[in-house]
Amino acid sequence: MAPSTDTRPQAREVPEAATDSGPETLTFAKALNAALADEMAADPTVVVFGEDVGPLGGVFRITDGLTARFGADRCFDTPLAESGIMGMAVGMAMNGLRPVVEMQFDAFAYPAFEQVVSHVAKMSNRTRGKVKLPLVIRIPYAGGIGGVEHHCDSSEAYYAHTPGLTVVAPATVADAYTLLRDAVRLNDPVVFLEPKKLYWSKETVDLAALRRAADEALRTGGRISGGIGTAAVARPGTDATLVAYGPSVSTALAAAAAAEAEGRSLEVIDLRSIVPYDDATVDASVRRTGRAVVVAEAPGFASVASEIAARISERCFHSLAAPVLRVTGFDIPYPAPKLEHWFLPGVDRILDAVDELQWDEPDAPGSTAAAGTGTDPR
Amino acid sequence: MTISTGRTPQAAVGAESGSGAVSALLPSDVPVRLIDADGAAHRDSRYPLPAGDLLLEAYARLVAGRRINDQANALVRQGRLAVYPSSHGQEACQVAAAAVLETRDWLFPTYRDSVAVISRGVDPLQVLTLLRGNWHSGYDPYEHRVAPQATPLATQLLHAVGVAHAAKLKGEDTVVLALCGDGATSEGDFHEALNFAAVFHVPVVFFIQNNEYAISVPLKNQSVAPSLAHKAVGYGMPGERVDGNDVAALLSVLGAAVQRAREGGGPALVEAHTYRMQAHTNADDATRYRSAEEVQDWVPRDPLVRTRSYLRGLGLLDDAREEELAQAAEEIAAAMRNGLNTDVDPDPMALFEHVYTARTTQLREQAELLRGELERDAAERDALAPGATGATGATGNSGTAGASR
């Protein structure tokens, strides 16, 4: 391999996608695997490493087959040391490669925290943009899989609080593919949070079309349209907005479906990336609905959910019919598997919060009475 | 042990390979010394004495390095530098670290290695940007292949391993020299860096400047290893000890380690025994943890003195040449004074640059907030300036103060 030391975006030769197979049923895990394989095929500077990511293919098989296909120089196991993995990635990125490293579990990423906060996040700023670190930190993350202690943390606030880091949390199979390819391509370091409970979820997606879109962006040296930094309206609605990301999006969608049966129309915003945060999409929704609930698994105190609630309150105050509420994990260490059900935000807890949004205030700007939607306030 | 410059693959260290393979990795019983404190040369069959012209060149850099340290200390006292961790007494290590590298190689320095960075060719004023308080790093790391000076301990050793690993994958002929102090050997990243370097067999030379103190904590409270160089054997790489005040021995030992790495021999660990003659920084009070007698013991071992004695003995150095070297060092010091006595106000709007490649909407809003504050401040200054009418600045500004909201 002879990668350039120039890490600026540039047009590259991209092999044509093998076949256009049209819509297919794909797991979240397989979409991530395809994204890594496609980026490695397109760019010889992309290298993948971490614990057990080589012949085993990672404990969640996200790197399955990459060593066999691209060789042990491109996808390899490291000694068992997360700070070592992260620090080595910094140096490799300094010297012209695009490392994609795997932290085996959310809580196992903490030994690398100093490297992430003091170097990964700051190198560009420290060197006035002379040294860019185009690297991706993949972290299997959050709970809901009955995992034991240290395998279920929602650690996004630590990273989102650190300027210089881009923090991404996909919630759909299509986004798993597209956002990961976008992350590998970005010239800034990305913390890529993969909700573990979604790894085996399946959706019907047109992978060939997603691949063509990503390859086209690569050919022109541009970013993928709808990539990192833009939130999505996962479900349109008119009465209140649920803001969620990563593992909480499916829960919010389930809550919206249940609310519909009760005659209440909830819009669900999937943030897709926590940093950069898409104020515009969230604000537009809340200004329209007049009510908002933020849903996230992490403990709520000093959390990403708190930041979102504060931003909405500051920026949409005159459109709000009720205080912005948060439905989050409790402020406790992640519980044992038999207790996690009581910890995680669920449909009922979300609907209870929605019920609290002052539907009976006739003068409130976004109230059902004022909006005249005819929804029956319970 | 000897750092071989041959192409022999690194010995496999295992039960079957016996104690010979292990002992081949062990450092010398006493630090390698080629020129003693009296300036007398000592033969070492493993490490040749560098030629006189090379040592004369090194001596010129030692003189410059000492002057740079002294000038920087003075600039701290004058308030022109916020802080300066001096390498006074360690100049031989600083000079040798830069001298053994080719242009294509990389140097990974710490905060105390300003003289090494300058010796590598980086402009002193750019180096002092960090300590002056203008920005975190003032030079382009790619221009001279010098990483930003690292303030956290031992973290940069892993970056060095990564640069070397990438170089190896790309087939580049690049060796990386990574510096750290004795205190940093207690950090986890020191361990991880040496282990990664050995496992991936990458061309890194780890160079510990053991100056006896980690701020106030003496080495005996830091490690009870036979020597810090002995740690190398645990990772399966050779370790070596060298007199850190003997620039000839440093050039020879570090040079051999660099050449070995360049030829595919893998990483090595070199420990230099030296002494931090001054306090940790100007904010430190060394009298609280070490005696004046202890410091005085190291004065006769000064790296400049012994090199000067040796070169004078060879007839390569006389008063006239000494005067030339002192004059050259004085010119560097004068450039430092002139540069630092000129106030350069960093642009506050630069705060928002290079955090992300593309500024986020939140940073754009915050930049507008600061811009409004700056404009308001400027208007107030204009209004207070002698001869100002007063009204124009304040009126022009009132609309922008709350613009970001």
Side-chain angles (χ1 to χ4, degrees), chain B residues 235-274:
Chain B
Y235 302 103
M237 74 173 74
E240 186 56 290
R241 317 165 70 182
V242 57
D243 183 333
N245 288 12
D246 175 0
V247 76
L250 284 158
L251 288 169
S252 199
V253 170
L254 283 175
V258 166
Q259 189 179 340
R260 177 179 175 278
R262 196 182 305 288
E263 292 174 350
L269 174 66
V270 175
E271 176 192 12
H273 294 261
T274 181

Side-chain angles (χ1 to χ4, degrees), chain A residues 39-194:
Chain A
E39 276 302 310
M40 291 177 81
D43 183 347
T45 68
V46 176
V47 290
V48 173
F49 54 94
E51 295 155 5
D52 305 296
V53 300
L56 180 67
V59 294
F60 292 104
R61 305 294 182 267
I62 307 303
T63 58
D64 188 34
L66 299 180
T67 302
R69 180 172 168 194
F70 297 102
D73 280 356
R74 299 283 307 281
C75 178
F76 55 89
D77 291 327
T78 65
L80 211 164
E82 291 79 12
S83 187
I85 293 167
M86 198 66 68
M88 189 168 76
V90 168
M92 292 175 90
M94 283 179 78
N95 200 5
L97 300 185
R98 285 179 182 268
V100 180
V101 300
E102 177 173 307
M103 297 284 108
Q104 199 158 69
F105 281 91
D106 31 60
F108 297 167
Y110 300 146
F113 198 63
E114 183 188 14
Q115 287 288 347
V116 174
V117 172
S118 291
H119 297 294
V120 171
K122 292 179 175 173
M123 188 66 84
S124 169
N125 188 253
R126 176 181 299 139
T127 62
R128 299 190 209 234
K130 294 289 195 293
V131 180
K132 295 283 191 185
L133 296 181
L135 60 87
V136 179
I137 305 162
R138 291 184 39 249
I139 307 180
Y141 131 100
I145 61 162
V148 293
E149 202 189 3
H150 304 120
H151 292 69
C152 300
D153 278 10
S154 286
S155 45
E156 66 269 28
Y158 305 128
Y159 304 111
H161 189 67
T162 303
L165 299 178
T166 295
V167 184
V168 176
T172 70
V173 172
D175 277 351
Y177 178 85
T178 298
L179 293 178
L180 183 51
R181 289 204 63 179
D182 208 25
V184 175
R185 187 127 356 119
L186 199 65
N187 283 334
D188 296 324
V190 179
V191 176
F192 196 86
L193 302 169
E194 302 171 359

Side-chain angles (χ1 to χ4, degrees), chain B residues 339-357:
Chain B
L340 290 170
N341 284 332
T342 310
D343 283 322
V344 178
D345 290 328
D347 177 9
M349 295 309 292
L351 287 172
F352 302 97
E353 290 171 11
H354 311 301
V355 183
Y356 297 97
T357 299

Side-chain angles (χ1 to χ4, degrees), chain A residues 1-5 7 47 73-74 76-97 111 114-115 118-119 121-132 160 162-166 187-189 223 275-279 311 314-315, chain B residues 106 108 129 134-142 145-172 174 187-189 191-193 195-196 199-200 350-358 360-362 365-366 405:
Chain A
M1 62 194 278
S4 157
T5 54
T7 57
V47 290
D73 280 356
R74 299 283 307 281
F76 55 89
D77 291 327
T78 65
L80 211 164
E82 291 79 12
S83 187
I85 293 167
M86 198 66 68
M88 189 168 76
V90 168
M92 292 175 90
M94 283 179 78
N95 200 5
L97 300 185
E114 183 188 14
Q115 287 288 347
S118 291
H119 297 294
K122 292 179 175 173
M123 188 66 84
S124 169
N125 188 253
R126 176 181 299 139
T127 62
R128 299 190 209 234
K130 294 289 195 293
V131 180
K132 295 283 191 185
T162 303
L165 299 178
T166 295
N187 283 334
D188 296 324
R223 302 281 307 283
V275 182
Y277 175 75
D278 185 354
D279 277 308
R311 297 188 75 81
E314 285 177 347
R315 302 162 70 91
Chain B
W106 273 88
F108 276 74
T129 297
N134 284 6
W135 203 261
H136 309 303
S137 179
Y139 52 89
D140 178 350
Y142 291 114
R145 295 206 164 193
V146 179
Q149 286 178 271
T151 307
L153 296 184
T155 52
Q156 81 281 2
L157 304 179
L158 281 161
H159 307 165
V161 172
V163 165
H165 196 169
K168 183 182 172 188
L169 291 177
K170 294 193 288 182
E172 292 172 356
T174 303
E187 293 278 3
D189 277 1
H191 158 67
E192 296 188 24
N195 191 45
F196 272 56
V199 167
F200 291 114
L351 287 172
F352 302 97
E353 290 171 11
H354 311 301
V355 183
Y356 297 97
T357 299
T360 63
T361 53
Q362 292 77 29
E365 290 174 1
Q366 290 161 25
R405 304 294 294 176

